[in-house]
Amino acid sequence: MFDGYDSCSEDTSSSSSSEESEEEVAPLPSNLPIIKNNGQVYTYPDGKSGMATCEMCGMVGVRDAFYSKTKRFCSVSCSRSYSSNSKKASILARLQVTGKPPTKKAKVLQKQPLVAKLAAYAQYQATLQNQAKTKSVAVSMEGFSWGNYINSNSFIAAPVTCFKHAPMGTCWGDISENVRVEVPNTDCSLPTKVFWIAGIVKLAGYNALLRYEGFENDSGLDFWCNICGSDIHPVGWCAASGKPLVPPRTIQHKYTNWKAFLVKRLTGAKTLPPDFSQKVSESMQYPFKPCMRVEVVDKRHLCRTRVAVVESVIGGRLRLVYEESEDRTDDFWCHMHSPLIHHIGWSRSIGHRFKRSDITKKQDGHFDTPPHLFAKVKEVDQSGEWFKEGMKLEAIDPLNLSTICVATIRKVLADGFLMIGIDGSEAADGSDWFCYHATSPSIFPVGFCEINMIELTPPRGYTKLPFKWFDYLRETGSIAAPVKLFNKDVPNHGFRVGMKLEAVDLMEPRLICVATVTRIIHRLLRIHFDGWEEEYDQWVDCESPDLYPVGWCQLTGYQLQPPASQSSRESQSGSSKQKKKAKSQQYKGHKKKRKMPFGKKPVSLSSLPMTGGVRRSFSGGEELTPPPYRTLPAQTAPEAFPPPRTSREFNPSLKTVTTLQLKEELIDGEDYNFLQGASDQESNGSANFYIKQEP
């Protein structure tokens, strides 16, 4: 295991090679360290023993990794070329004349003394360091850094194991603090890439705060990196790959025998599995490919599906283009495990409404996605007691994910699927009904919000406030859906209040934002977008494919939207703040964060066209005053639709919303009693849904 650390030892060999030509070396400056061995004089440009410079090509590296016993050349080729005088000077001599790195067309010069070569090399290194300093000053801290954000606020991030759909989510193992890895040594003036051992000080999703071995409690050179990156390797990788291990320049003087130091420090320590990089690569292979055809919810009519074609796949997220879109701009973003996409023929098989395509035959190259690639739903038995049309329940409003509303089952489909409508705001033609499976974590029995102290949004226009279920059921002549039919499974998801993560803004599903878990109700998470007000929060299931670990965007190449600044929030929501009313049980549903011209922006189930905070009936006829939404810049070219990859391409301050301005009508009423259960609202405990029955 420790073979790779020989490159740091101080042992040398006393014999010389017959292949190497010897030359008399002139006296060396006193400020350079000198090591004498069997008549040979060596000096090392970094000022420490253990390094050597090839006298033929100029390569600098660990002395023990050099060719032959005298360590004057990096390879057999360089040794023979030097001996046969195929070149009249070493490449370092060019540095003395030009001050530039060597090129293939290096000019042939007379052989120079070793001192001249070293002096030229030292000058070259000084030039590189000055350039690096200038560059670091010139580059501004543009963009968002998870490391700085977490360190400056002492945040914690949700572990990768909370996200089973994310890369390495199911095979993360016991990667934790104090795990050792081999990483590039950035505290080094060598021109070649060298490595050193570092330990994990703190984990934040895929990101790890690392500290080089030998720094002990000194955090001066700690740095953040993505543990799944290509430059992170298990201990022993350098030895197997022939890469040099070089201690950081800052601490190089602390020990004379680095090999013994590493053997002592690493004995019994944990490192990454040998096949870690292979597992990362395999976990980032996705079965969905461009040109696959799927059925996906119609973003203009929730109640039906349409055929769409996979345009691109990024980190398992699909950009779907509706098949009838001639300019390929009418698109829809979702994850490949989203419940909103299905195989071709799914709608017909369960009795769901479907919009037939005007395209009579498949376009060349397009093919139906195999059914086994889609997320499976739990099988249910509909032969016994089951959901019926007209039953009441509570459901997350897909048009305003921050609210849970009074809802009604409008139609019972096959295979356990239900068509749900939000009471008080349904379109006359039912075009805004939406499909949930009976086991969906987004629907709840009557009384769920009361028991778990969540504000329930009553039907719009309902005046008998505070809202009481018993009165409402009596007035509407309805019955509540049986509690036993709902999904009460609560996995041990591992989320905790305050954890950071990256979350899709389902009101603009192309964006992934910095977010925080602010509340946990069994398996239901309240996701808050950092820098924005609570009214923009979203209720999301703990197993939602729209949640990702910290560092997911960096790993997959997706642009992360940073927290909104106070100035951007005020500029975007100033008008709504002026009109904002006090909290009450007034209707809060169906608000939309930003206006998106149809055919120009991807719209999710949560971003259907809304006007004045009222659900549009799509059949026309309403005269509604549109709220002051901020319009996004128009995009006309299909190339503009992949996820933004630069901060300039898509401004993070797009998270805007206009609060519904509805008249408050508060009417006092007598309280009604619920049978409270012993449910832990901020844990992974099982839910208690029961209501005390009244005569």
Side-chain angles (χ1 to χ4, degrees), residues 166-356:
M168 301 298 293
T170 57
C171 54
W172 189 248
D174 56 353
I175 298 175
S176 59
E177 296 178 2
N178 298 319
V179 167
R180 304 307 206 282
V181 293
E182 293 180 353
V183 295
N185 179 6
T186 57
D187 183 28
C188 183
S189 59
L190 301 178
T192 56
K193 191 174 186 178
V194 295
F195 293 79
W196 190 240
I197 310 295
I200 297 178
V201 178
K202 185 176 183 179
L203 264 181
Y206 293 118
N207 293 347
L209 180 64
L210 300 181
R211 180 175 300 169
Y212 289 122
E213 283 296 333
F215 276 84
E216 307 301 337
N217 296 324
D218 183 3
S219 61
L221 287 184
D222 289 3
F223 61 98
W224 286 90
C225 70
N226 196 301
I227 206 71
C228 295
S230 59
D231 277 337
I232 311 299
H233 308 281
V235 172
W237 176 84
C238 284
S241 306
K243 302 293 183 181
L245 280 171
V246 179
R249 180 174 50 186
T250 304
I251 59 170
Q252 206 168 34
H253 64 282
K254 291 182 65 175
Y255 301 94
T256 57
N257 191 338
W258 281 102
K259 177 181 177 179
F261 168 80
L262 290 178
V263 170
K264 180 179 179 180
R265 288 298 300 258
L266 299 178
T267 300
K270 293 182 180 180
T271 187
L272 300 177
D275 59 346
F276 183 77
S277 60
Q278 180 182 352
K279 288 183 177 180
V280 172
S281 178
E282 291 174 354
S283 66
M284 295 182 67
Q285 302 298 316
Y286 308 105
F288 281 79
K289 306 297 179 184
C291 298
M292 284 185 171
R293 300 170 76 241
V294 300
E295 287 186 9
V296 64
V297 66
D298 187 341
K299 64 186 181 184
R300 294 181 178 82
H301 294 76
L302 281 176
C303 64
R304 69 186 186 189
T305 58
R306 297 172 60 184
V307 174
V309 179
V310 177
E311 179 74 11
S312 60
V313 183
I314 302 178
R317 288 181 55 76
L318 313 178
R319 179 186 176 238
L320 304 174
V321 176
Y322 289 113
E323 197 170 49
E324 295 173 299
S325 176
E326 297 181 356
D327 58 358
R328 310 194 68 76
T329 59
D330 191 6
D331 60 2
F332 186 94
W333 279 92
C334 66
H335 192 272
M336 63 182 184
H337 293 154
S338 170
L340 303 179
I341 60 172
H342 311 276
H343 62 86
I344 298 297
W346 172 84
S347 298
R348 175 181 295 180
S349 67
I350 69 163
H352 195 282
R353 290 177 61 180
F354 174 77
K355 180 185 178 183
R356 294 185 178 276

Side-chain angles (χ1 to χ4, degrees), residues 405-406 422-426 457-463 465 467 472 585-590 610-616 622 624 660-663 665:
C405 304
V406 175
I422 299 297
D423 283 21
S425 58
E426 298 176 65
T457 301
R460 190 172 66 88
Y462 189 76
T463 58
L465 302 177
F467 178 84
Y472 186 70
Q585 278 194 316
Q586 64 178 337
Y587 177 77
K588 292 185 178 180
H590 318 312
M610 297 296 301
T611 310
V614 181
R615 194 185 293 257
R616 181 172 294 179
E622 296 94 350
L624 304 174
L660 295 175
Q661 304 302 324
L662 299 177
K663 182 178 180 181
E665 298 183 50

Side-chain angles (χ1 to χ4, degrees), residues 24-30 34 41 113-116:
E24 185 176 352
V25 180
L28 298 173
S30 58
I34 299 175
V41 181
L114 181 59
V115 175

